[in-house]
Amino acid sequence: MTHARFFIQVTGFRRIVCPALVVARRRNPAGRRIRLIVSVLAVAGLVLYGQDASAVRPFVTDDARVVYPGQLEVENFGGMTMGRDRKPGFEIRSLQGTSVTDRLEIIAGGFGFQYENNTMTPQDLVFQPKYVLYRSFGLVPSVSAAAAVLAPLSGNRQLWNSYHMMHVSWFLFTPQDSTDPYDNDLAIHVNLGAKGQYHAGLGGRWTNKLYWATGFEVMTPISRELRVLGEIFNGDPFSFEEEFPAYQVGFRWYKTPNLQWDFVVRGVRDGGIGSGIGAGIETGPGWNYTVQIGLRFLVDDVFPFR
Amino acid sequence: MKLKLTVTGFAAVKFLGTTVLSLAFAGCGLDGVRGTVVSVEENRYVIRDGRGREWHVHADERSHRDHVQAGEEVRVYVTKEGYAAFIQRLQ
């Protein structure tokens, strides 16, 4: 594939996000910042096109694998959330991570913005260590544990969200001629944990909720590089308020071993009178839907860990 | 209120359980090793990692492996007993 075609794909990503940018440009000069961020991500995608590595984060929530030591992992996504009787909200986000050992991965960042009701706010920052407790391929699952805290940049600075969870993942049906252990025809994961919220303004009150998720990624008959993914979960772990029923379905295209595109539709049912879900975008009662495009890539040997 | 206490109790037990499991299972299963192939003899390989340690690993017909030669850089997933499930040549 030529770089020109690749650029068209990247600019296609911008076109989808473009309605938000048009609104933002008319009413809020901060919209230029979103355009700048999208442009930077597009250029990064172009620069990194063709390098060799392995994509490792198949699900939005997470699973029991980490990147190779020293690799830089960048996960970018942008989306539009729609709900009944509400104006669409837009978000864009970038997560960064690396592994310091063969089993310990650190995710940090979450730089991004959301735009809704003519207002742009930063996204919460994330810090998440994850440790692979047991690594296996085939019928015996891999197991990892992760914990995270989110710095409340997007809203009430007295509310600190967190989560911890165990991941149990099966990486199945690796072709015999493939030496990439994560080149699987089918991957399944189950996550179980808890979401927590610390309210500093109420005398330091802690509140916890059960968290769970289960999902799969399976190859399509069209191509091994094109996968279908699906997941149901008890709300996004980044959002304390979000609860079941929540789901996402979509496609994942392994453009190169180190670069993948996602197209995902998420649905979350708000059983109350409307609240903030996902990355903080407000929703109305009933079902709310998010159309999301993700670009994930890895760069080898960025950090001196081996 | 009772439900909240139950969930909080579950979270505490879960966190404790995660910690205990982490300590109990830490380092189990396959290890990932990156290194340079020192020698290859049929199904037996000697690999030197970045810290200078030598790993003696063996493979069989179930192993997923590239054809490698001495001097090439590889990533290997290996059991504690030295069985290599994957031998991947790095470009």
Side-chain angles (χ1 to χ4, degrees):
Chain A
M1 176 158 304
T2 65
H3 281 245
R5 268 184 72 190
F6 182 72
F7 181 73
I8 289 168
Q9 286 164 3
V10 172
T11 51
F13 173 73
R14 286 186 63 190
R15 261 204 305 278
I16 290 168
V17 181
C18 201
L21 306 181
V22 173
V23 173
R25 190 168 58 229
R26 284 180 187 156
R27 299 181 183 175
N28 190 339
R32 290 179 183 172
R33 276 180 254 170
I34 296 179
R35 290 167 63 94
L36 179 64
I37 291 167
V38 172
S39 302
V40 168
L41 293 179
V43 170
L46 281 172
V47 168
L48 294 160
Y49 171 68
Q51 294 190 17
D52 190 27
S54 297
V56 292
R57 286 172 65 86
F59 301 101
V60 173
T61 46
D62 230 342
D63 64 4
R65 56 177 141 172
V66 297
V67 299
Y68 296 133
Q71 281 186 323
L72 170 66
E73 169 191 15
V74 182
E75 183 174 347
N76 313 292
F77 48 92
M80 177 174 67
T81 298
M82 297 157 284
R84 193 174 60 190
D85 301 328
R86 297 198 62 85
K87 289 182 180 177
F90 304 90
E91 64 169 310
I92 185 167
R93 189 168 201 152
S94 179
L95 292 165
Q96 293 76 36
T98 189
S99 286
V100 296
T101 72
D102 177 43
R103 293 173 183 264
L104 178 62
E105 179 190 76
I106 307 289
I107 300 286
F111 308 103
F113 297 90
Q114 63 192 50
Y115 179 81
E116 62 179 331
N117 300 323
N118 301 328
T119 306
M120 192 165 78
T121 50
Q123 301 267 19
D124 292 346
L125 292 179
V126 183
F127 177 77
Q128 179 203 279
K130 178 164 70 174
Y131 189 83
V132 177
L133 301 170
Y134 187 88
R135 182 184 285 122
S136 179
F137 306 106
L139 289 176
V140 179
S142 291
V143 180
S144 66
V149 63
L150 288 91
L153 300 187
S154 63
N156 189 340
R157 304 293 170 92
Q158 293 180 323
L159 292 175
W160 287 74
N161 291 340
S162 63
Y163 60 84
H164 63 273
M165 67 179 81
M166 301 279 287
H167 315 107
V168 181
S169 302
W170 288 263
F171 304 107
L172 301 165
F173 307 122
T174 305
Q176 188 60 38
D177 60 351
S178 174
T179 55
D180 178 357
Y182 296 110
D183 179 16
N184 318 113
D185 290 350
L186 175 64
I188 299 170
H189 77 168
V190 176
N191 296 345
L192 182 63
K195 294 193 281 189
Q197 188 172 69
Y198 176 73
H199 199 310
L202 293 175
R205 190 179 73 180
W206 279 96
T207 313
N208 287 285
K209 286 180 179 176
L210 175 69
Y211 171 77
W212 60 266
T214 181
F216 69 92
E217 181 185 295
V218 63
M219 63 170 284
T220 63
I222 301 170
S223 165
R224 277 191 61 78
E225 284 68 44
L226 184 64
R227 313 288 174 98
V228 172
L229 61 89
E231 187 173 40
I232 56 172
F233 44 101
N234 189 26
D236 194 311
F238 287 1
S239 170
F240 184 75
E241 288 82 13
E242 199 175 303
E243 293 181 343
F244 184 80
Y247 72 90
Q248 61 185 358
V249 291
F251 293 98
R252 169 153 297 160
W253 180 32
Y254 287 83
K255 172 73 177 59
T256 67
N258 74 312
L259 190 150
Q260 62 190 44
W261 289 94
D262 296 334
F263 178 79
V264 174
V265 176
R266 303 177 66 202
V268 179
R269 186 171 176 274
D270 189 331
I273 56 172
S275 61
I277 66 160
I281 290 180
E282 292 182 5
T283 58
W287 280 99
N288 296 267
Y289 299 97
T290 301
V291 179
Q292 192 176 82
I293 291 180
L295 169 64
R296 296 170 172 81
F297 57 83
L298 293 169
V299 188
D300 282 337
D301 299 340
V302 173
F303 301 102
F305 312 117
R306 297 289 181 271
Chain B
M1 179 60 108
K2 190 175 179 182
L3 179 65
K4 278 186 179 176
L5 284 174
T6 304
V7 173
T8 303
F10 168 79
V13 170
K14 172 76 175 45
F15 186 77
L16 195 64
T18 303
T19 306
V20 171
L21 278 175
S22 301
L23 293 172
F25 284 97
C28 289
L30 295 166
D31 287 316
V33 178
R34 178 176 169 174
T36 304
V37 178
V38 177
S39 65
V40 182
E41 191 176 319
E42 291 192 8
N43 289 334
R44 298 189 173 276
Y45 302 77
V46 179
I47 295 161
R48 183 178 293 122
D49 67 15
R51 295 180 181 176
R53 294 177 299 192
E54 287 197 347
W55 294 70
H56 294 257
V57 304
H58 60 273
D60 63 15
E61 67 279 0
R62 291 176 295 125
S63 303
H64 299 250
R65 51 178 164 164
D66 289 324
H67 292 288
V68 296
Q69 299 174 338
E72 290 186 315
E73 193 169 20
V74 292
R75 179 174 285 115
V76 179
Y77 282 104
V78 60
T79 65
K80 300 289 183 288
E81 294 76 30
Y83 172 70
F86 288 86
I87 301 175
Q88 184 180 30
R89 184 175 59 236
L90 301 179
Q91 302 296 327

PDB file of all heavy atoms in Angstrom, chain B residues 53-67:
ATOM      1  N   ARG B  53      23.013 -13.676  30.456  1.00  0.00           N
ATOM      2  CA  ARG B  53      22.668 -15.027  30.930  1.00  0.00           C
ATOM      3  C   ARG B  53      22.397 -15.941  29.744  1.00  0.00           C
ATOM      4  O   ARG B  53      21.798 -15.510  28.751  1.00  0.00           O
ATOM      5  CB  ARG B  53      21.423 -14.987  31.818  1.00  0.00           C
ATOM      6  CG  ARG B  53      21.645 -14.250  33.120  1.00  0.00           C
ATOM      7  CD  ARG B  53      20.354 -14.194  33.915  1.00  0.00           C
ATOM      8  NE  ARG B  53      19.317 -13.472  33.172  1.00  0.00           N
ATOM      9  CZ  ARG B  53      18.174 -13.075  33.699  1.00  0.00           C
ATOM     10  NH1 ARG B  53      17.912 -13.336  34.965  1.00  0.00           N
ATOM     11  NH2 ARG B  53      17.283 -12.431  32.982  1.00  0.00           N
ATOM     12  N   GLU B  54      22.810 -17.177  29.868  1.00  0.00           N
ATOM     13  CA  GLU B  54      22.567 -18.144  28.791  1.00  0.00           C
ATOM     14  C   GLU B  54      21.363 -19.008  29.125  1.00  0.00           C
ATOM     15  O   GLU B  54      21.256 -19.543  30.225  1.00  0.00           O
ATOM     16  CB  GLU B  54      23.809 -19.007  28.563  1.00  0.00           C
ATOM     17  CG  GLU B  54      24.930 -18.256  27.881  1.00  0.00           C
ATOM     18  CD  GLU B  54      25.983 -19.187  27.294  1.00  0.00           C
ATOM     19  OE1 GLU B  54      25.950 -20.385  27.631  1.00  0.00           O
ATOM     20  OE2 GLU B  54      26.829 -18.698  26.529  1.00  0.00           O
ATOM     21  N   TRP B  55      20.464 -19.113  28.153  1.00  0.00           N
ATOM     22  CA  TRP B  55      19.250 -19.923  28.301  1.00  0.00           C
ATOM     23  C   TRP B  55      19.393 -21.135  27.388  1.00  0.00           C
ATOM     24  O   TRP B  55      19.566 -20.984  26.182  1.00  0.00           O
ATOM     25  CB  TRP B  55      18.009 -19.123  27.890  1.00  0.00           C
ATOM     26  CG  TRP B  55      17.704 -17.950  28.775  1.00  0.00           C
ATOM     27  CD1 TRP B  55      18.404 -16.788  28.877  1.00  0.00           C
ATOM     28  CD2 TRP B  55      16.612 -17.825  29.693  1.00  0.00           C
ATOM     29  NE1 TRP B  55      17.842 -15.948  29.790  1.00  0.00           N
ATOM     30  CE2 TRP B  55      16.729 -16.559  30.311  1.00  0.00           C
ATOM     31  CE3 TRP B  55      15.563 -18.664  30.054  1.00  0.00           C
ATOM     32  CZ2 TRP B  55      15.813 -16.112  31.262  1.00  0.00           C
ATOM     33  CZ3 TRP B  55      14.647 -18.205  30.997  1.00  0.00           C
ATOM     34  CH2 TRP B  55      14.776 -16.952  31.598  1.00  0.00           C
ATOM     35  N   HIS B  56      19.294 -22.326  27.967  1.00  0.00           N
ATOM     36  CA  HIS B  56      19.324 -23.566  27.183  1.00  0.00           C
ATOM     37  C   HIS B  56      17.879 -24.006  26.980  1.00  0.00           C
ATOM     38  O   HIS B  56      17.192 -24.352  27.952  1.00  0.00           O
ATOM     39  CB  HIS B  56      20.124 -24.652  27.910  1.00  0.00           C
ATOM     40  CG  HIS B  56      21.584 -24.309  28.017  1.00  0.00           C
ATOM     41  ND1 HIS B  56      22.549 -24.881  27.219  1.00  0.00           N
ATOM     42  CD2 HIS B  56      22.249 -23.431  28.813  1.00  0.00           C
ATOM     43  CE1 HIS B  56      23.728 -24.382  27.509  1.00  0.00           C
ATOM     44  NE2 HIS B  56      23.569 -23.491  28.488  1.00  0.00           N
ATOM     45  N   VAL B  57      17.400 -23.948  25.764  1.00  0.00           N
ATOM     46  CA  VAL B  57      15.997 -24.280  25.493  1.00  0.00           C
ATOM     47  C   VAL B  57      15.937 -25.370  24.427  1.00  0.00           C
ATOM     48  O   VAL B  57      16.873 -25.560  23.646  1.00  0.00           O
ATOM     49  CB  VAL B  57      15.208 -23.036  25.017  1.00  0.00           C
ATOM     50  CG1 VAL B  57      15.319 -21.914  26.019  1.00  0.00           C
ATOM     51  CG2 VAL B  57      15.679 -22.569  23.650  1.00  0.00           C
ATOM     52  N   HIS B  58      14.822 -26.080  24.462  1.00  0.00           N
ATOM     53  CA  HIS B  58      14.610 -27.109  23.446  1.00  0.00           C
ATOM     54  C   HIS B  58      13.221 -26.948  22.846  1.00  0.00           C
ATOM     55  O   HIS B  58      12.313 -26.385  23.467  1.00  0.00           O
ATOM     56  CB  HIS B  58      14.784 -28.508  24.041  1.00  0.00           C
ATOM     57  CG  HIS B  58      13.825 -28.810  25.154  1.00  0.00           C
ATOM     58  ND1 HIS B  58      14.069 -28.492  26.474  1.00  0.00           N
ATOM     59  CD2 HIS B  58      12.608 -29.403  25.134  1.00  0.00           C
ATOM     60  CE1 HIS B  58      13.054 -28.880  27.225  1.00  0.00           C
ATOM     61  NE2 HIS B  58      12.152 -29.432  26.437  1.00  0.00           N
ATOM     62  N   ALA B  59      13.072 -27.444  21.629  1.00  0.00           N
ATOM     63  CA  ALA B  59      11.805 -27.336  20.912  1.00  0.00           C
ATOM     64  C   ALA B  59      11.422 -28.708  20.379  1.00  0.00           C
ATOM     65  O   ALA B  59      12.224 -29.642  20.367  1.00  0.00           O
ATOM     66  CB  ALA B  59      11.946 -26.341  19.759  1.00  0.00           C
ATOM     67  N   ASP B  60      10.156 -28.837  19.957  1.00  0.00           N
ATOM     68  CA  ASP B  60       9.715 -30.065  19.296  1.00  0.00           C
ATOM     69  C   ASP B  60       8.769 -29.701  18.154  1.00  0.00           C
ATOM     70  O   ASP B  60       8.664 -28.528  17.781  1.00  0.00           O
ATOM     71  CB  ASP B  60       9.080 -31.043  20.296  1.00  0.00           C
ATOM     72  CG  ASP B  60       7.824 -30.481  20.939  1.00  0.00           C
ATOM     73  OD1 ASP B  60       7.294 -29.480  20.416  1.00  0.00           O
ATOM     74  OD2 ASP B  60       7.372 -31.016  21.953  1.00  0.00           O
ATOM     75  N   GLU B  61       8.045 -30.680  17.635  1.00  0.00           N
ATOM     76  CA  GLU B  61       7.214 -30.412  16.455  1.00  0.00           C
ATOM     77  C   GLU B  61       6.035 -29.499  16.781  1.00  0.00           C
ATOM     78  O   GLU B  61       5.424 -28.918  15.887  1.00  0.00           O
ATOM     79  CB  GLU B  61       6.714 -31.731  15.843  1.00  0.00           C
ATOM     80  CG  GLU B  61       5.732 -32.529  16.686  1.00  0.00           C
ATOM     81  CD  GLU B  61       6.414 -33.352  17.770  1.00  0.00           C
ATOM     82  OE1 GLU B  61       7.669 -33.304  17.884  1.00  0.00           O
ATOM     83  OE2 GLU B  61       5.696 -34.033  18.503  1.00  0.00           O
ATOM     84  N   ARG B  62       5.699 -29.375  18.069  1.00  0.00           N
ATOM     85  CA  ARG B  62       4.587 -28.487  18.452  1.00  0.00           C
ATOM     86  C   ARG B  62       5.034 -27.038  18.580  1.00  0.00           C
ATOM     87  O   ARG B  62       4.207 -26.132  18.652  1.00  0.00           O
ATOM     88  CB  ARG B  62       3.975 -28.958  19.772  1.00  0.00           C
ATOM     89  CG  ARG B  62       3.229 -30.294  19.664  1.00  0.00           C
ATOM     90  CD  ARG B  62       2.735 -30.757  21.028  1.00  0.00           C
ATOM     91  NE  ARG B  62       3.852 -31.057  21.927  1.00  0.00           N
ATOM     92  CZ  ARG B  62       4.006 -30.516  23.132  1.00  0.00           C
ATOM     93  NH1 ARG B  62       3.123 -29.673  23.598  1.00  0.00           N
ATOM     94  NH2 ARG B  62       5.049 -30.836  23.866  1.00  0.00           N
ATOM     95  N   SER B  63       6.320 -26.802  18.647  1.00  0.00           N
ATOM     96  CA  SER B  63       6.821 -25.433  18.811  1.00  0.00           C
ATOM     97  C   SER B  63       6.589 -24.621  17.538  1.00  0.00           C
ATOM     98  O   SER B  63       6.741 -25.139  16.430  1.00  0.00           O
ATOM     99  CB  SER B  63       8.316 -25.455  19.128  1.00  0.00           C
ATOM    100  OG  SER B  63       8.577 -26.228  20.279  1.00  0.00           O
ATOM    101  N   HIS B  64       6.245 -23.369  17.736  1.00  0.00           N
ATOM    102  CA  HIS B  64       6.143 -22.437  16.611  1.00  0.00           C
ATOM    103  C   HIS B  64       7.503 -21.750  16.505  1.00  0.00           C
ATOM    104  O   HIS B  64       7.880 -20.989  17.390  1.00  0.00           O
ATOM    105  CB  HIS B  64       5.052 -21.392  16.879  1.00  0.00           C
ATOM    106  CG  HIS B  64       3.682 -21.962  17.054  1.00  0.00           C
ATOM    107  ND1 HIS B  64       2.683 -21.798  16.131  1.00  0.00           N
ATOM    108  CD2 HIS B  64       3.141 -22.702  18.062  1.00  0.00           C
ATOM    109  CE1 HIS B  64       1.585 -22.409  16.552  1.00  0.00           C
ATOM    110  NE2 HIS B  64       1.837 -22.965  17.727  1.00  0.00           N
ATOM    111  N   ARG B  65       8.229 -22.027  15.424  1.00  0.00           N
ATOM    112  CA  ARG B  65       9.587 -21.481  15.386  1.00  0.00           C
ATOM    113  C   ARG B  65      10.020 -21.102  13.982  1.00  0.00           C
ATOM    114  O   ARG B  65       9.674 -21.760  13.009  1.00  0.00           O
ATOM    115  CB  ARG B  65      10.585 -22.466  15.981  1.00  0.00           C
ATOM    116  CG  ARG B  65      10.482 -23.859  15.401  1.00  0.00           C
ATOM    117  CD  ARG B  65      11.533 -24.761  16.003  1.00  0.00           C
ATOM    118  NE  ARG B  65      11.241 -26.166  15.752  1.00  0.00           N
ATOM    119  CZ  ARG B  65      12.110 -27.140  15.886  1.00  0.00           C
ATOM    120  NH1 ARG B  65      13.338 -26.881  16.260  1.00  0.00           N
ATOM    121  NH2 ARG B  65      11.776 -28.388  15.631  1.00  0.00           N
ATOM    122  N   ASP B  66      10.777 -20.003  13.954  1.00  0.00           N
ATOM    123  CA  ASP B  66      11.456 -19.617  12.718  1.00  0.00           C
ATOM    124  C   ASP B  66      12.771 -20.392  12.628  1.00  0.00           C
ATOM    125  O   ASP B  66      13.318 -20.836  13.651  1.00  0.00           O
ATOM    126  CB  ASP B  66      11.756 -18.114  12.721  1.00  0.00           C
ATOM    127  CG  ASP B  66      10.495 -17.270  12.567  1.00  0.00           C
ATOM    128  OD1 ASP B  66       9.597 -17.704  11.821  1.00  0.00           O
ATOM    129  OD2 ASP B  66      10.416 -16.204  13.190  1.00  0.00           O
ATOM    130  N   HIS B  67      13.258 -20.542  11.420  1.00  0.00           N
ATOM    131  CA  HIS B  67      14.595 -21.120  11.244  1.00  0.00           C
ATOM    132  C   HIS B  67      15.621 -20.039  11.571  1.00  0.00           C
ATOM    133  O   HIS B  67      15.656 -19.003  10.923  1.00  0.00           O
ATOM    134  CB  HIS B  67      14.788 -21.621   9.817  1.00  0.00           C
ATOM    135  CG  HIS B  67      13.923 -22.806   9.508  1.00  0.00           C
ATOM    136  ND1 HIS B  67      14.168 -24.060  10.031  1.00  0.00           N
ATOM    137  CD2 HIS B  67      12.812 -22.917   8.755  1.00  0.00           C
ATOM    138  CE1 HIS B  67      13.241 -24.897   9.613  1.00  0.00           C
ATOM    139  NE2 HIS B  67      12.401 -24.233   8.832  1.00  0.00           N
TER     140      HIS B  67
END
